[in-house]
Amino acid sequence: KEDLTNDQVHAAEVAIEGRSVFLTGGAGTGKSFLLRYIISELRKKYSGEGAVAVTAPTGIAAQHVGGVTIHYGTGCEERSATGKAGYCNIQINNIKGRFKEKVDVPEARMFHGFDAYKKAIAFADMVILTTPPGFRPEMFEYAVSQGKHVFMEKPIATDAAGIRRVIAAAKEADAKKLKVVCGLQRRYQKSYTATHQEVMEGRIGKVLGSQVYWNGGGVWVRPRQEKQTEMEYQMRNWYYFNWLCGDHICEQHVHNIDVANWFMGSHPTVAQGMGGRQRRIGPDFGEIFDHHYVEFQHADGGYTNSQCRHQRGCMNRVTEVIIGEKGRAYPGRITDNDGKIIWKLNERGKNPYQVEHDELHRHIREDIAINNAYYTADATMTSIFGRMATYSGKELKWDDAIN
C-alpha cells in the first residue's frame, strides 16, 4: 500500500468496500499494479476457493493481473461441441462483428496442427507470431525464408539453441530487406524512450547499475482434463513447461531485463542467483519456479539486480530503476541522489502496443530498415542466462551459456 499514490489508495478503498470503480490511464501509470493490490486485498477479505474471480478481455491483460480471460473464466473455451473449425468460425465471427469488411477468413484459410503456420504464412505479406514462445525460432525462420515481414512477441526463444536460430534468421531478414518488430513495447513507450534520452545525455551521470522487478501474483492455471493427451495438456497449460514458456523469468520478466540491457548499454557477462518453488508446488504448476533472484554483472563492472516472483499475498512491484552517479531514473521521471525530482515527463504518450505495429507498418511502406530481433534476442538470452543461474546455483559466463 505504501507504493500507491493517494488517488490509487482512494480507488482501492472504494473497490474493497464493494463499490464499482472505473480505472483509466496511459501505459505505465500503474493500472495493473493497482488492480493486483485490490485483488490481493479482496482475497484477504473474502477467503475460500473461487471467492474472488479475476477475468480480463485478453490473455496478456489476464497475465498482468493474475487472472484468466473472460472466455476461459466463463467456460466459453470448450470446443468439443463445435470442433476446431466451428470454434474458429465463432472467433472469426466475433472479430468480424467488430471490424466488418476488414475480415475475410473462410474455412479454406483456417489451418490446424503443428505445420498450420506454414499454410497460413503462404497467404500473408506480413506475419504476426504470437504462439507460445517455444515455437518462435522455427516459425521466424520459416517466415523469413518465405520473404515475409514479421511482428513477433517476446520472448523469442526458450533456450540458447533457439536464440542462435533467431539471430541467424535475423541476419537473413536483413539480407532480404525484411522488416522485423518485436513485442518489447517499452522500447516504443514515451515514458521509457524520453527517460532513456535524458540518461544518455548525462542527466544521472555515468550509469552504474539497475534494479528490475516483475513481482506479482502469477498467471492462470488450466487443470488437466479427462482424456487429454499429455501433449494437449502441456499445450493448454503452456506457461508451466520450459520448452514452451522458458519460465516466467523469460516469458514475462524479459520486459524489465530488456530495459536493464538498454540503459546499461549491453547484456551482462556473468550471472549468479537463486530461486525455487515455494507456493506453486503441485503438479498443476508444471516445472517452473515461482521466484527468481539474479545478480547480473556487465563487462564495464556495472550490476543489474533482477527480481521476479509469482506469489499471491506478497508485495507487488513491476518497474525498473536505473542507478547513476548523480541520480536515479524511473519510467518518466529522474531524481537526484537525495530523491528530489529533477526531470519529469509531462506528456502522455500513445499506447505502445499500438505504436510498435504503427512503426512496423511505416517502415514497410517507406522501405526503412528495422530489425528488433537482435536486442530481443539479447534480452531473451539474458533471461535464459538468469534462469540457468537460478536453476544451477552456479556462477555462469555468458559465452558458455549461449554456446
Side-chain angles (χ1 to χ4, degrees):
K1 189 173 182 178
E2 61 272 13
D3 293 321
L4 300 177
T5 66
N6 290 337
D7 286 342
Q8 287 175 327
V9 169
H10 176 65
E13 289 173 348
V14 171
I16 293 164
E17 287 172 5
R19 291 185 282 163
S20 298
V21 179
F22 178 78
L23 302 174
T24 187
T29 55
K31 299 185 299 298
S32 295
F33 177 74
L34 174 57
L35 284 170
R36 286 192 294 269
Y37 172 76
I38 292 171
I39 292 163
S40 69
E41 292 301 304
L42 287 172
R43 285 190 168 127
K44 294 175 188 175
K45 184 176 180 180
Y46 303 103
S47 60
E49 188 69 28
V52 178
V54 182
T55 63
T58 68
I60 293 297
Q63 287 180 24
H64 286 174
V65 295
V68 298
T69 63
I70 293 170
H71 283 85
Y72 187 80
T74 56
C76 292
E77 283 197 344
E78 292 298 332
R79 306 184 184 192
S80 57
T82 58
K84 293 177 181 178
Y87 176 77
C88 287
N89 272 326
I90 292 170
Q91 300 305 304
I92 293 297
N93 288 336
N94 287 343
I95 298 170
K96 203 166 188 176
R98 292 179 61 195
F99 299 103
K100 312 297 181 189
E101 68 281 353
K102 294 181 179 180
V103 179
D104 177 25
V105 188
E107 285 193 25
R109 294 206 299 275
M110 297 180 192
F111 307 106
H112 312 282
F114 286 113
D115 64 346
Y117 69 96
K118 294 181 179 180
K119 300 170 185 176
I121 283 173
F123 291 95
D125 297 312
M126 186 196 82
V127 176
I128 298 177
L129 302 177
T130 58
T131 62
F135 298 109
R136 201 82 76 243
E138 66 179 291
M139 291 184 178
F140 181 52
E141 280 179 340
Y142 186 78
V144 170
S145 75
Q146 299 302 299
K148 310 296 184 180
H149 306 294
V150 175
F151 175 87
M152 57 179 169
E153 262 300 350
K154 57 76 217 167
I156 55 176
T158 59
D159 55 27
I163 293 293
R164 296 194 298 269
R165 292 175 69 178
V166 166
I167 292 172
K171 293 176 180 178
E172 183 182 346
D174 285 342
K176 293 181 174 181
K177 297 184 177 181
L178 300 175
K179 319 308 181 225
V180 181
V181 166
C182 300
L184 291 170
Q185 83 285 343
R186 284 162 169 76
R187 297 270 187 159
Y188 294 91
Q189 186 168 330
K190 187 70 173 179
S191 58
Y192 285 89
T193 57
T195 304
H196 184 264
Q197 182 176 341
E198 293 292 323
V199 170
M200 293 302 102
E201 292 176 358
R203 180 76 73 160
I204 62 172
K206 180 182 178 181
V207 174
L208 303 175
S210 60
Q211 309 241 145
V212 296
Y213 311 84
W214 197 304
N215 292 332
V219 299
W220 41 262
V221 179
R222 293 169 180 164
R224 190 183 296 270
Q225 302 297 313
E226 188 178 355
K227 297 184 179 180
Q228 254 184 343
T229 65
E230 183 63 26
M231 178 61 74
E232 183 179 0
Y233 169 68
Q234 292 196 20
M235 291 288 290
R236 300 282 183 226
N237 216 36
W238 62 269
Y239 208 97
Y240 296 95
F241 295 94
N242 276 327
W243 72 279
L244 288 166
C245 168
D247 206 315
H248 64 102
I249 190 175
C250 182
E251 199 285 331
Q252 192 175 61
H253 190 39
V254 66
H255 282 296
N256 318 105
I257 287 173
D258 177 57
V259 172
N261 285 356
W262 183 18
F263 280 77
M264 296 291 289
S266 68
H267 64 69
T269 56
V270 180
Q272 67 86 18
M274 62 189 78
R277 289 163 64 97
Q278 183 178 13
R279 299 281 291 278
R280 295 194 309 206
I281 57 176
D284 282 350
F285 303 112
E287 59 194 3
I288 71 173
F289 280 6
D290 61 16
H291 65 282
H292 300 259
Y293 169 80
V294 186
E295 177 190 83
F296 293 111
Q297 184 176 348
H298 297 259
D300 64 359
Y303 286 85
T304 291
N305 289 303
S306 153
Q307 300 180 26
C308 61
R309 180 176 61 221
H310 278 187
Q311 293 179 6
R312 292 176 178 173
C314 299
M315 182 209 75
N316 293 327
R317 179 174 292 160
V318 182
T319 193
E320 306 84 17
V321 184
I322 309 302
I323 302 165
E325 290 177 314
K326 300 189 295 183
R328 296 187 175 198
Y330 307 82
R333 65 185 172 93
I334 294 175
T335 69
D336 63 18
N337 284 328
D338 295 322
K340 179 183 177 182
I341 295 176
I342 58 176
W343 175 84
K344 186 175 182 180
L345 180 66
N346 291 314
E347 63 176 285
R348 180 178 292 180
K350 296 179 180 178
N351 183 343
Y353 297 101
Q354 182 62 50
V355 173
E356 58 192 0
H357 288 276
D358 292 344
E359 284 300 296
L360 174 57
H361 299 163
R362 182 176 70 83
H363 281 75
I364 292 171
R365 291 187 181 109
E366 299 178 16
D367 195 22
I368 301 172
I370 187 170
N371 193 337
N372 296 169
Y374 297 107
Y375 70 67
T376 308
D378 248 13
T380 302
M381 185 61 218
T382 303
S383 304
I384 294 167
F385 191 29
R387 183 190 75 209
M388 295 168 75
T390 64
Y391 280 15
S392 69
K394 299 182 182 299
E395 182 178 89
L396 304 177
K397 302 293 192 293
W398 175 273
D399 288 343
D400 294 334
I402 196 169
N403 294 308

